[in-house]
Amino acid sequence: MTANTAAARPSASGRRERGPVAQAADRRIKCLQYGYREDHPSAVSTLARLRRGAGRPAHDVPDLWGLTGTDELSDALGTLSEDERRRFDHDRAEEALHLAVTLWALHQQSHREADMYLPGRGLGRAVRILMIPVSGSAERAVDAGRGVEGSKARAEPELDEPLRRRFVRAGTSSSFDGLAQRLREIVLLLRRSAVALDYGLLADQLYRWQQPAQRAEVRREWGRDFHLAGLTRGTDARQD
């Protein structure tokens, strides 16, 4: 079994189970997110520190050592077999965790009323939601899946082409540093419109992206998520 399959195993349903990197990001972010929204001073301070590391390599910011989920990762690795642990790439996992957690901290900034970490909403879906203008309470209700009775079907809106190009550039990045910068740009736009994202899933994808053999698969996941969101946009929304 490779390091990547240890990180995210396909389940019987075809969906990937949450591997150690995703589990670590999930635990770390949920803890901080709760503290931040409850205005706990330690969580507020930690988020401010984490934001300064968004888009930068993990070991370039010593101030963040121990704050991005490495302890949670050690706990999650305890669920793997000895062979899986031996094959696991700690350096790539730390980079993925650092990027996912710091991007979430940037995303959550100033949002005390809502969680910007939303399990189940992948990068492609989040970008697609952001690209489609939403106006009017009736349309918001339809997009939220609340089903406004008697509402008329609306014409397919035009997509935001500049944002689509940003997403494409992220998908075609050839270096991890380049990808980090592209994702940072996208997250700032998601923050502005309060569109949440699954950072556990993103952490797992970032871990696999660093393996050349897995990069194309991660890109397919982002692209598929984007296109499927266009077909099912009536079940999603900007606000949750």
Side-chain angles (χ1 to χ4, degrees), residues 111-204:
H111 286 293
R112 299 294 181 91
E113 77 292 347
D115 295 341
M116 292 298 102
Y117 170 41
L118 180 65
R121 179 179 288 168
L123 179 64
R125 177 173 291 275
V127 170
R128 188 65 178 248
I129 293 168
L130 184 61
M131 287 174 62
I132 298 176
V134 180
S135 61
S137 58
E139 287 187 353
R140 285 184 179 274
V142 171
D143 280 348
R146 290 188 288 271
V148 177
E149 188 174 350
S151 62
K152 295 181 179 179
R154 55 192 171 100
E156 182 69 23
E158 293 184 5
L159 297 179
D160 184 328
E161 180 60 20
L163 178 55
R164 191 193 70 83
R165 288 198 297 267
R166 284 179 186 269
F167 181 56
V168 170
R169 286 196 295 269
T172 56
S173 297
S174 59
S175 71
F176 194 72
D177 288 346
L179 175 62
Q181 290 304 315
R182 297 302 184 191
L183 290 177
R184 189 181 189 279
E185 294 171 1
I186 290 172
V187 164
L188 286 171
L189 295 173
L190 294 174
R191 181 181 74 183
R192 186 179 67 188
S193 296
V195 177
L197 177 64
D198 186 338
Y199 282 94
L201 173 60
L202 181 63
D204 177 80

Side-chain angles (χ1 to χ4, degrees), residues 18-91:
R18 300 238 158 179
V21 179
Q23 291 173 28
D26 181 81
R27 287 181 56 197
R28 184 59 178 152
I29 291 173
K30 283 183 176 178
C31 179
L32 287 171
Q33 188 164 251
Y34 173 79
Y36 181 76
R37 293 192 60 194
E38 292 294 315
D39 202 26
H40 294 170
S42 61
V44 174
S45 173
T46 297
L47 258 73
R49 294 164 68 185
L50 288 168
R51 287 195 296 271
R52 292 194 287 271
R56 299 173 60 186
H59 296 290
D60 278 7
V61 195
D63 182 52
L64 301 186
W65 292 352
L67 298 182
T68 56
T70 49
D71 289 344
E72 288 82 356
L73 178 62
S74 295
D75 291 341
L77 289 175
T79 64
L80 300 182
S81 68
E82 182 178 346
D83 184 57
E84 287 175 321
R85 287 196 298 271
R86 180 176 59 82
R87 294 174 180 272
F88 192 80
D89 192 321
H90 288 267
D91 289 339

